[in-house]
Amino acid sequence: MDVTAQETSTRTLSYSEAIREAMALAMEADPTVILMGEDIGVYGGAFQVTLDLVDRFGPDRVMDTPISELGGAGVAVGAALTGLKPIFEFQFSDFATLAMEQIVNQAAKLRYMLGGEASVPVVFRMPAGSGTGAAAQHSQSLEAWFGHVPGLKVIQPSTPEDAKGMLLAALADPDPVLVFEHKLLYKMKGEVPAGYYTTPIGKAAVRRAGSDLTIVAASIMVHRALEAAEQLAGEGVSAEVIDLRSIRPIDHETIVASVRKTGRLLIVYEGVKSYGIGAEISAMVAESDAFDFLDAPILRLGGAEAPIPYNPDLERAAVPQVDTILAAARRLARREV
Amino acid sequence: MPVEVILPKVDMDMTHGTLATWHVKPGDMVQKGAALFDIETDKAAMEVEAPATGRLQHVLAEPGTKVPVGSVIAWLYAEGETVDTLPPVPAPGDVPAEAAVPDAPALGGTEQAPYAVPPQGMAGHASPMPGGSLLRATPAARHAARTAGLDLSDVAGSGPRGRIQKQDVDDLLARERDVAPPRPVSGWVADSGPLAVTRRPGRDAPLVLIHGFAADSTGWLPLEKALLPGRALIRIDLPGHGRSPKRKIRDFAHLARMVLEAFDEATRGLDGVHLLGHSLGGAVAAAIADIRSSRVLSLTAMAPAGLGPDINGEMLAGIARATRVESLSPWLRQLAGNAELIGDDYAKAAMRGRADPGLRSCQMEMAEVLFPDGVQAFDLRPAFARLSMPASIVWGRRDQVTPFRHALSIEADFALHFLHGIGHIPHFECPERVARIVERQFAAVEAPG
């Protein structure tokens, strides 16, 4: 594991507990770290991630903002410019569309436009993804939008351990970082080291080694891919599963090395399939020296070309699931594509 | 308007043809009806005549390119006609009848995709289509084939729509490896001489091996294994064979001089060597032993050429021009006394060594020079008769290429070994028996005192 500081022990924590622990650790160690967002104070946040932090650090450092994403994000960017390290929570990452001006035109550009004289060390926390019955305006996976913007870093931790380590790495980063947290992951439990550590941004993790095909997955899709890989192993197919973790910067090296080894690539992500991170990764592989080692077309599994439906069956069908990953991986491994 | 040169359909179920050679260089004039290019199909090789008198321009298919029937592969410009940008390519179905080769039946169906053409503005630049580029194959399969020196058109694809996957290439290579490792590299070192010479270091006087017509040095492998281990070996590839340069020869003496030059280079500084030659290589070995008698300790000639006029010319020509395993295999089976020894894998490995159309055409020319009208045009009997070192002739009594009775015509004290049940390739059919014969000869020469 990419742990840069010595930890003494691990405990089982949920993904949201791990995030809360990271925020508390950072706030204890650094008085410039503040939290901002709608209903993150007494209410504890839309997904109860900040929970009781307002009691521990007071309303001056855990600030409820008005229902204006553009205003709140603007204050966070401004605060970062003055030297504070704000963590701004969107209730749903969908609402970042209201704050695009601040994220894309201000936060991402200012260090460049000010000749490096200033930086914007803001962290945006982005609850994302479908599966909660929250319908079209509260279920999107827009991470690829931000992956397109130089000046931003975009990460998608998939485990409690990474959720903590990557949030601490984001806080230590001098530039704006967007953390996409899948809403279905908040309750997921896992071993989390105690104490302070960072997990590097821009480094993918090989979650399962394999030789027949490479599955690159992001966020919750990592877990579905791992489940599929387990079943594939029973069928004699050895799938390597790579947890992308960071989409900007992206870990070119790990992906290319894996494809060179397996010759087959399946990319699984929840965002709408077209113009998404799958397109970026497949193009990157086609342009790399792994091209000569491709032994099948590259396959992408992404979200449907439709808004996320409210109907639970349709909602499930709109994004990759274990069975769809299995089917695609089998077709790749059996040379049916 | 320039006249299109079309790849004609010359046989009923032909969909593609491989352009073998152009008889006319780009920019040169050609008369209507003169030979313009050769094509090879699944079944045959044939010459195609120029459809019009004109200057050849915009050659789109390089030798070795596989092209769909009906494709435009070049244009002929009338004298004085301006040659500028590439003319538009009609779809195969739209080809005007007069542009097609007169004798050819109707061109291929319209379902075939038009042959790839370089974009406008690239006029005058040939577009080399690497062999097999029209096949479906994954990048990994192409890479593996390239690395192994394999022609993808020899590989059967198991993927969707016949796509060749890496596994298909690996399977083919594995099958061939089981029969005869095509390049047994380990222990062999390549010399940089006029011909391809490989040597395996060892002790004692080296044995120099010269293979026969349409073979190459890899064919010695079974014998190498059967010989007592440790002896130094030197293998020479004849010109236009194996890895040697493709050279035109004028006659047998010219060929023998080329090999002699390589022999001198390869044996420089050595006190003496043993010589073993097979078939045409047997004749070359005898010529070398005759000229360098002081340096050749012993000679073994297996089914040597040059001892009589008879030779199975049809078979030599058939082997030299075969473009596929199917056409090569029936001839190869006649090589052995027991045809069952020559399986599909042997034929595939042999075809793989002959995948280069340039090599095949070089050998066809060589056969024409050495064995015109199926007759051996050179006589080595005087050379054999002059030999002063211990010499043996080894011949299979079922040889269908050159009759073993030729051995009886030598007017000298030779050891003659006639092998029962064996054909033209004793070193493949019974390498142990051949090894025993040469080892006995080594022992006789090298015995102390």
Side-chain angles (χ1 to χ4, degrees), chain B residues 212-442:
Chain B
F213 177 74
D216 61 41
S217 283
T218 61
W220 292 114
L221 186 72
L223 182 65
E224 289 163 17
K225 286 180 174 166
L227 288 168
L228 293 176
R231 180 172 297 272
L233 298 177
I234 296 172
R235 307 181 303 195
I236 301 176
D237 277 344
L238 294 177
H241 288 70
R243 296 191 160 186
S244 277
K246 298 174 191 74
R247 302 237 188 98
K248 270 188 200 296
I249 56 155
R250 289 189 297 277
D251 49 28
F252 178 81
H254 186 208
L255 167 68
R257 273 198 301 281
M258 275 185 207
V259 184
L260 179 66
E261 199 187 330
F263 172 86
D264 285 345
E265 192 106 339
T267 60
R268 183 171 297 155
L270 297 171
D271 288 339
V273 297
H274 299 280
L275 253 179
L276 169 56
H278 171 237
S279 195
L280 176 61
V284 172
I288 290 174
D290 183 29
I291 302 168
R292 295 280 181 265
S293 55
S294 61
R295 307 195 35 216
V296 177
L297 302 173
S298 78
L299 169 75
T300 310
M302 271 192 299
L307 296 182
D310 329 57
I311 190 158
N312 189 337
E314 268 180 39
M315 181 176 172
L316 295 184
I319 290 176
R321 73 163 174 259
T323 60
R324 324 176 37 90
V325 172
E326 289 77 2
S327 51
L328 180 64
S329 193
W331 296 115
L332 290 182
R333 275 199 287 276
Q334 295 188 26
L335 282 176
N338 174 6
E340 282 172 22
L341 272 180
I342 309 292
D344 286 351
D345 293 335
Y346 181 93
K348 279 179 189 159
M351 197 59 238
R352 208 185 127 201
R354 316 184 48 72
D356 175 5
L359 178 138
R360 295 197 299 261
S361 78
C362 184
Q363 293 180 4
M364 282 188 263
E365 281 187 38
M366 192 179 279
E368 198 48 46
V369 170
L370 297 174
F371 314 113
D373 306 323
V375 171
Q376 302 199 35
F378 52 96
D379 187 354
L380 267 283
R381 278 173 290 200
F384 271 96
R386 280 194 297 268
L387 295 180
S388 51
M389 72 287 300
S392 340
I393 300 252
V394 179
W395 222 308
R397 292 185 50 151
R398 286 204 189 162
D399 193 327
Q400 296 177 62
V401 182
T402 45
F404 76 91
R405 286 189 179 80
H406 280 185
L408 304 172
S409 68
I410 299 175
E411 295 176 15
D413 299 333
F414 266 45
L416 303 181
H417 303 265
F418 295 130
L419 308 177
H420 278 278
I422 298 299
H424 187 63
I425 46 175
H427 53 308
F428 177 80
E429 298 170 73
C430 57
E432 294 78 14
R433 283 156 82 181
V434 175
R436 273 203 305 278
I437 293 168
V438 292
E439 298 283 3
R440 274 207 299 273
Q441 188 153 282
F442 297 156

Side-chain angles (χ1 to χ4, degrees), chain A residues 101-153:
Chain A
E101 158 66 14
Q102 286 303 319
I103 300 170
V104 175
N105 277 339
Q106 304 302 331
K109 308 288 194 291
L110 285 173
R111 184 151 80 95
Y112 175 81
M113 293 180 69
L114 296 174
E117 294 291 313
S119 69
V120 186
V122 65
V123 175
F124 293 106
R125 290 190 39 247
M126 321 281 271
S130 66
T132 61
Q137 296 165 324
H138 301 75
S139 301
Q140 297 170 85
S141 299
L142 300 177
E143 52 277 354
W145 286 29
F146 300 96
H148 188 67
V149 181
L152 299 179
K153 293 191 174 74

Side-chain angles (χ1 to χ4, degrees), chain A residues 233-305:
Chain A
E235 302 169 12
V237 174
S238 163
E240 179 146 305
V241 179
I242 294 177
D243 178 354
L244 198 53
R245 298 207 287 198
S246 170
I247 70 169
R248 183 178 195 94
I250 194 162
D251 187 351
H252 178 268
E253 208 171 289
T254 299
I255 296 168
V256 167
S258 178
V259 175
R260 275 185 69 116
K261 181 173 71 170
T262 64
R264 292 180 170 75
L265 176 59
L266 171 64
I267 308 158
V268 190
Y269 51 107
E270 182 163 332
V272 170
K273 178 178 167 183
S274 55
Y275 304 98
I277 59 177
E280 178 55 33
I281 293 172
S282 56
M284 188 178 88
V285 167
E287 287 172 343
S288 78
D289 70 339
F291 174 80
D292 269 348
F293 299 88
L294 280 174
D295 204 22
I298 298 170
L299 290 191
R300 293 176 293 164
L301 279 182
E305 307 289 325

Side-chain angles (χ1 to χ4, degrees), chain B residues 55-75:
Chain B
R55 205 172 283 284
L56 184 67
Q57 300 287 0
H58 306 311
V59 174
L60 296 177
E62 297 285 312
T65 311
K66 195 167 179 180
V67 184
V69 163
S71 301
V72 176
I73 55 174
W75 281 265

